[in-house]
Amino acid sequence: MREWQKETVYQIYPRSFQDSNGDGIGDINGIISRLDYLQKLGIGLIWLTPMYRSPGNDNGYDIADYYQIDPVFGTMEDFENLLNEAHKRNIKIIMDMVLNHTSNENHWFQEALKSKDNPYHDFYIWKDPVGGHEPNNWVSKFSGSAWKYVPKLDQYYLHLYDVTMPDLNWRNEKLRNKIFKMLKYWAAKGIDGFRLDVINNISKDKEMPNDTFATPLDDGRNFYTNGPHVHEYIHEMYEKVFGPNNFVTVGELSSTPISEAIKYTNPNRQELSMAFTFHHVKVDYTNGNKWTLGQYKLSDLTRILSDWQVKMNAHGGWNALFWNNHDQPRAISRFTNDTKYRDQSAKLLAMVEFGLQGTPYIYQGDEIAMKNAYFTDIKQYNDHESINAYNELLKNGVAKEKAIKILQQKSRENARLPMQWNSQKNYGFTTGQPWLKPLHHDDYSVEKVLKMKNNVFDFYRALIFLRKHKQILINGQYKLLNSQDNSVYSYERINNKGKILVMANFTDQMQERKIANGFDLLLGNYEGIKLNKGTVTLRPYESVMLEK
Ligand code: NOJ
């Protein structure tokens, strides 16, 4: 077993975590002030989303200078201090690293714009117009064409994301060397690993053909996802940086089949430690379309999760387990019940996640059952992806009210609300004007939750503790029970010493299920579960972890 495999990762979205200087934006000193809280929770690693210098068009995923901390978050000294303080508490720090694209304000791109002969020009992906138009029909993940015309050069550059985020050309060896040098700079600071943003998109098909749009999911992604040289490039980073520094790495691998995820994460291949994949959080898309009012069937969700569990395990792959992150609406609002059964739901989701094989991630606020923002006006959104999607919906004839409803359900801004620390102004997140409006009407906060009996925070602590002390949760074989069940998700983990059974009722009705004899209760989200002769009756959103 690798040491980190029994640890839990906590994701911090610094902008929304804790502001220390009253400018309304969370910062590094704010994070430092909350390290004791995180230590109490019991996590072993923190993943920090980007804090490099950036114009902030995509909240830091548009990097203008890889070597600097953005002043809104603090200084390099603050960062080094954070690293030190985290290490003192035995917490590792994983930095987010964005290597598929930069900001258009990055020095490399500014040079690239100067002329076709500039040495930096080839650091990006340029194409001449075809018949006066875009070089192909690929669509940006932030809506519209993936190409932007630059009149001065009479060329288009590729941007798979925002128009201000040009894609890097990994075929260029000089660029790769610059990247390796920069990764070594951060390694030398003493960080413990990287979360690699959309890393499976870095190697594009050389021909860049038009997409046929044969399926609703097609938008060009077949020609750049898990592209021809991606494994080579990642292995090169492993040899030069990840391996020698004993890094924990997690790749963000959207639209990736299991066979590829195995390649990225099987330790024999020396690429990444683990994989974030997204099939389970697309279960409520309608025909692959995110921007719809979606519904999901529990049996679809459990089928997807189970497929990943079984196949990754069989071939030496390793899953990163999560329900939430800064790109997803809150799972509690999406898959369970965030009102009457709010606490039970938060605990149920945590239990289902922590019982699976892989490394569990907690996204800030999960541990206090934070829920969706449910904004009622497009003006409340900052996020370009959400605003573009809204405009596109209206353009396609969707009524305003419905478009807002869709955003309430699907927008990632839902997860970016400031962290709710206490009952003071702005939940103690800032003394100034918060960059994103908090809910105000939600009375959940860290302060309140910690005072509650059997609270969600303590439930997470218990799960984190169990993962550290029960080998079976790390290495036990996974088995789905009742694949057709649309109300209760039941699975087992099995090793040569015993069994763990997880049962989670995803409905607001009582559910009775048969179970084998001999199980004892390890953890449950209600008080006093009754295990009666071969059956268990689960109350609304009840979940149990049993052992024998
Ligand atoms: C994935 C990040 O998680 C997301 O927030 C960002 O917009 C895109 N990559 C582009 O960097």
Side-chain angles (χ1 to χ4, degrees):
M1 182 178 58
R2 290 165 283 168
E3 196 42 37
W4 50 265
Q5 286 181 306
K6 56 183 198 320
E7 297 294 341
T8 299
V9 187
Y10 187 91
Q11 183 195 350
I12 293 185
Y13 195 65
R15 180 171 289 270
S16 298
F17 193 60
Q18 176 69 73
D19 180 20
S20 72
N21 61 3
D23 67 356
I25 298 177
D27 50 40
I28 296 175
N29 286 330
I31 298 173
I32 295 174
S33 73
R34 296 297 182 182
L35 284 175
D36 288 341
Y37 166 80
L38 296 176
Q39 188 181 23
K40 184 168 172 211
L41 184 57
I43 52 113
L45 302 96
I46 292 174
W47 151 29
L48 296 163
T49 63
M51 298 198 294
Y52 315 93
R53 197 166 71 69
S54 161
N57 284 331
D58 192 21
N59 288 357
Y61 284 94
D62 46 332
I63 299 179
D65 188 339
Y66 284 105
Y67 287 89
Q68 292 200 22
I69 295 292
D70 196 287
V72 300
F73 297 117
T75 63
M76 190 59 86
E77 213 186 321
D78 295 336
F79 177 75
E80 288 163 357
N81 197 8
L82 166 61
L83 207 52
N84 249 323
E85 290 297 323
H87 287 166
K88 267 194 220 161
R89 292 165 176 83
N90 275 328
I91 296 174
K92 293 187 189 317
I93 295 284
I94 297 186
M95 297 274 283
D96 214 315
M97 187 43 81
V98 190
L99 303 175
N100 178 68
H101 45 265
T102 68
S103 157
N104 58 353
E105 291 185 18
N106 193 294
H107 163 73
W108 297 345
F109 192 69
Q110 287 302 310
E111 285 296 312
L113 280 176
K114 286 185 179 158
S115 76
K116 290 182 190 169
D117 323 319
N118 188 291
Y120 290 93
H121 184 263
D122 191 50
F123 275 29
Y124 294 87
I125 299 173
W126 297 93
K127 289 274 180 206
D128 293 334
V130 176
H133 294 289
E134 286 84 0
N136 68 28
N137 59 8
W138 295 4
V139 180
S140 154
K141 293 182 192 284
F142 282 17
S143 309
S145 167
W147 297 94
K148 172 75 182 168
Y149 184 63
V150 177
K152 183 176 154 201
L153 302 176
D154 189 26
Q155 281 191 313
Y156 285 87
Y157 68 81
L158 179 71
H159 64 92
L160 294 182
Y161 296 87
D162 193 56
V163 63
T164 62
M165 291 151 67
D167 277 56
L168 288 164
N169 176 18
W170 273 72
R171 288 178 189 272
N172 185 312
E173 200 185 336
K174 286 201 183 108
L175 165 80
R176 295 207 300 277
N177 287 333
K178 288 246 186 216
I179 286 178
F180 302 146
K181 191 171 156 208
M182 177 273 292
L183 297 178
K184 286 180 189 162
Y185 167 84
W186 286 103
K189 290 232 172 267
I191 65 163
D192 304 288
F194 288 120
R195 176 264 188 189
L196 295 139
D197 189 64
V198 294
I199 195 67
N200 59 333
N201 290 346
I202 59 177
S203 171
K204 277 81 174 169
D205 181 300
K206 204 164 188 181
E207 305 304 324
M208 304 198 143
N210 272 327
D211 203 320
T212 55
F213 297 122
T215 77
L217 274 178
D218 291 340
D219 54 5
R221 75 183 66 188
N222 294 330
F223 303 107
Y224 58 75
T225 309
N226 309 316
H229 302 288
V230 68
H231 293 288
E232 241 168 78
Y233 297 151
I234 294 181
H235 180 65
E236 208 174 344
M237 288 194 273
Y238 180 94
E239 282 197 310
K240 299 202 158 109
V241 190
F242 309 158
N245 290 290
N246 200 17
F247 269 7
V248 181
T249 53
V250 50
E252 189 197 20
L253 308 172
S254 188
S255 306
T256 292
I258 302 178
S259 53
E260 280 294 317
I262 291 166
K263 288 194 204 158
Y264 287 112
T265 60
N266 183 315
N268 297 333
R269 293 177 52 94
Q270 305 193 313
E271 295 186 27
L272 302 170
S273 314
M274 56 186 135
F276 276 128
T277 60
F278 298 88
H279 297 75
H280 67 299
V281 284
K282 293 183 179 173
V283 69
D284 58 356
Y285 289 12
T286 316
N287 299 323
N289 185 358
K290 169 172 173 175
W291 300 106
T292 54
L293 285 176
Q295 297 211 320
Y296 82 102
K297 251 174 55 193
L298 185 67
S299 56
D300 287 336
L301 182 63
T302 61
R303 178 179 38 78
I304 297 168
L305 290 171
S306 302
D307 216 22
W308 280 87
Q309 285 290 301
V310 172
K311 292 184 184 150
M312 288 287 268
N313 187 23
H315 301 280
W318 193 255
N319 291 298
L321 307 167
F322 72 100
W323 289 113
N324 292 315
N325 64 32
H326 64 292
D327 290 330
Q328 300 294 329
R330 293 273 179 187
I332 190 172
S333 308
R334 187 175 183 185
F335 299 125
T336 53
N337 178 301
D338 64 6
T339 51
K340 186 166 174 199
Y341 299 107
R342 184 171 183 176
D343 285 3
Q344 288 89 349
S345 292
K347 293 177 185 174
L348 171 146
L349 289 168
M351 181 178 277
V352 167
E353 176 186 341
F354 275 69
L356 296 174
Q357 185 174 48
T359 296
Y361 283 67
I362 301 173
Y363 177 60
Q364 63 184 48
D366 286 352
E367 75 280 17
I368 55 159
M370 279 182 68
K371 59 180 182 177
N372 273 358
Y374 298 112
F375 288 145
T376 50
D377 192 322
I378 191 64
K379 291 198 194 83
Q380 290 167 282
Y381 288 84
N382 279 267
D383 172 38
H384 286 206
E385 187 204 35
S386 307
I387 297 167
N388 293 350
Y390 175 81
N391 291 333
E392 192 99 338
L393 285 167
L394 296 197
K395 209 170 85 193
N396 293 334
V398 174
K400 265 190 189 168
E401 300 70 43
K402 183 162 179 202
I404 287 291
K405 275 221 168 83
I406 292 174
L407 262 61
Q408 284 179 351
Q409 192 189 74
K410 295 287 177 58
S411 166
R412 58 188 189 170
E413 202 85 305
N414 282 302
R416 298 181 176 184
L417 286 174
M419 182 74 184
Q420 296 171 192
W421 292 106
N422 54 41
S423 55
Q424 292 159 25
K425 190 176 156 221
N426 299 318
Y427 296 102
F429 162 69
T430 181
T431 52
Q433 284 300 319
W435 74 275
L436 186 67
K437 205 170 142 231
L439 286 186
H440 299 304
H441 54 266
D442 181 25
D443 68 347
Y444 265 53
S445 67
V446 169
E447 185 184 65
K448 169 171 168 157
V449 168
L450 290 183
K451 280 187 197 144
M452 288 159 76
K453 200 173 155 224
N454 296 328
N455 63 60
V456 181
F457 182 93
D458 284 340
F459 196 81
Y460 268 101
R461 287 182 71 188
L463 286 168
I464 292 171
F465 179 86
L466 283 178
R467 282 199 47 104
K468 282 190 187 149
H469 294 94
K470 298 247 170 229
Q471 271 276 339
I472 188 170
L473 288 173
I474 313 298
N475 63 16
Q477 293 286 324
Y478 169 95
K479 189 174 159 205
L480 173 66
L481 308 175
N482 308 333
S483 63
Q484 302 305 314
D485 199 324
N486 272 310
S487 306
V488 178
Y489 179 16
S490 310
Y491 65 83
E492 288 179 342
R493 300 291 306 277
I494 307 157
N495 71 8
N496 50 15
K497 297 208 186 86
K499 256 187 192 177
I500 280 190
L501 167 61
V502 174
M503 298 182 88
N505 176 6
F506 276 74
T507 73
D508 58 6
Q509 305 295 311
M510 303 282 268
Q511 302 285 347
E512 192 178 286
R513 294 292 181 276
K514 289 199 169 35
I515 58 162
N517 286 325
F519 278 107
D520 290 322
L521 180 70
L522 204 51
L523 191 66
N525 68 351
Y526 275 78
E527 274 179 83
I529 178 87
K530 283 198 204 93
L531 300 173
N532 274 335
K533 292 182 203 130
T535 60
V536 56
T537 305
L538 297 165
R539 285 158 281 189
Y541 295 97
E542 177 158 19
S543 66
V544 287
M545 191 179 266
L546 310 172
E547 174 181 51
K548 74 168 171 184

